[in-house]
Amino acid sequence: MDRLEHGRLTNYVNDRCRCVPCTRAAREYEQTRYRLRAYGLLPQLVDVDDLAMHLAWLSGYGIGWEQVAALAGLARSTVSAILYPDHHRRGVTPRVAGAILAILPTMDNAAAAALIDATGTQRRLGALMLQGHTLTAIQRELGLSALGRVLARDRVTARVARAVRDYYDTHWAIPAAPATAHEAGVIAR
């Protein structure tokens, strides 16, 4: 079974399909670009240096270029070529630039294993513990281990930060269930 939808430019470029419909789509695209350029209607390209700076800024927040490509709905090769050009590029289209510049450094945009600032996670855990929630109970419900280490570290993975945030959002107004003797640190005899 053929997985390609023939007659599309993306198949001609990405999949190197040279069937008649895909070749026709590529030819029509180039003819349209040629006419737009002749009439001065082709959109101006955006400088790749500005985008490279934005990608470097995002990287500082744990959002790498591969994550940016996934979030922006762009091919990895498109974003990679901005950071690691193999030849001089005049720029990228406004659509590509807009998609990249729309990515902001939020906890939800960071890759699961990316290390982010632990301050918010520590504050959420502290507030939950003040309400009587124990780390053991939180760990059990979240399926995490060694959550106590988060309280002593400067950075935490985005996956753990998101899990604690979601737990906090659903449990912050709910009083904690009474702790078991083991969780309270009391040895029953």
Side-chain angles (χ1 to χ4, degrees), residues 2 9 17 19 34 37-38 50 66 76 78-79 83 102 104 108 111 114 118 122 133 146 151 162 169 173 177 186 189:
D2 198 0
L9 175 66
C17 178
C19 72
Y34 181 79
R37 187 179 299 118
D50 297 337
E66 290 178 331
R76 291 175 49 208
T78 301
V79 180
L83 287 175
L104 297 175
D108 292 322
Q122 292 168 346
H133 297 272
L151 298 173
R162 286 191 289 256
D169 288 346
V186 177
R189 292 184 193 228

Side-chain angles (χ1 to χ4, degrees), residues 51-72 79 83 99-100 102-116 155 158 162:
L51 296 175
M53 286 179 19
H54 185 74
L55 291 170
W57 177 65
L58 291 173
S59 178
Y61 288 96
I63 304 170
W65 66 268
E66 290 178 331
Q67 182 73 1
V68 170
L71 292 169
V79 180
L83 287 175
I100 292 173
I103 307 299
L104 297 175
T106 64
M107 184 188 320
D108 292 322
N109 286 344
L115 293 175
I116 62 173
R155 299 175 74 71
R162 286 191 289 256

Side-chain angles (χ1 to χ4, degrees), residues 16 50 54 58 64 89 103 108 117-118 138 142 150 157-158 167 175 178 183 188:
R16 294 182 173 82
D50 297 337
H54 185 74
L58 291 173
R89 287 189 68 161
I103 307 299
D108 292 322
D117 185 36
I138 297 170
L142 294 178
V150 171
T157 63
Y167 182 89
E183 289 175 342

Side-chain angles (χ1 to χ4, degrees), residues 98-154:
I100 292 173
L101 293 173
I103 307 299
L104 297 175
T106 64
M107 184 188 320
D108 292 322
N109 286 344
L115 293 175
I116 62 173
D117 185 36
T119 304
T121 305
Q122 292 168 346
R123 289 180 179 166
R124 286 181 184 94
L125 287 173
L128 288 168
M129 289 188 294
L130 284 174
Q131 290 181 326
H133 297 272
T134 64
L135 282 179
T136 306
I138 297 170
Q139 285 179 165
R140 188 177 330 111
E141 187 163 335
L142 294 178
L144 299 172
S145 61
L147 199 53
R149 288 188 221 161
V150 171
L151 298 173
R153 301 246 165 98
D154 293 335

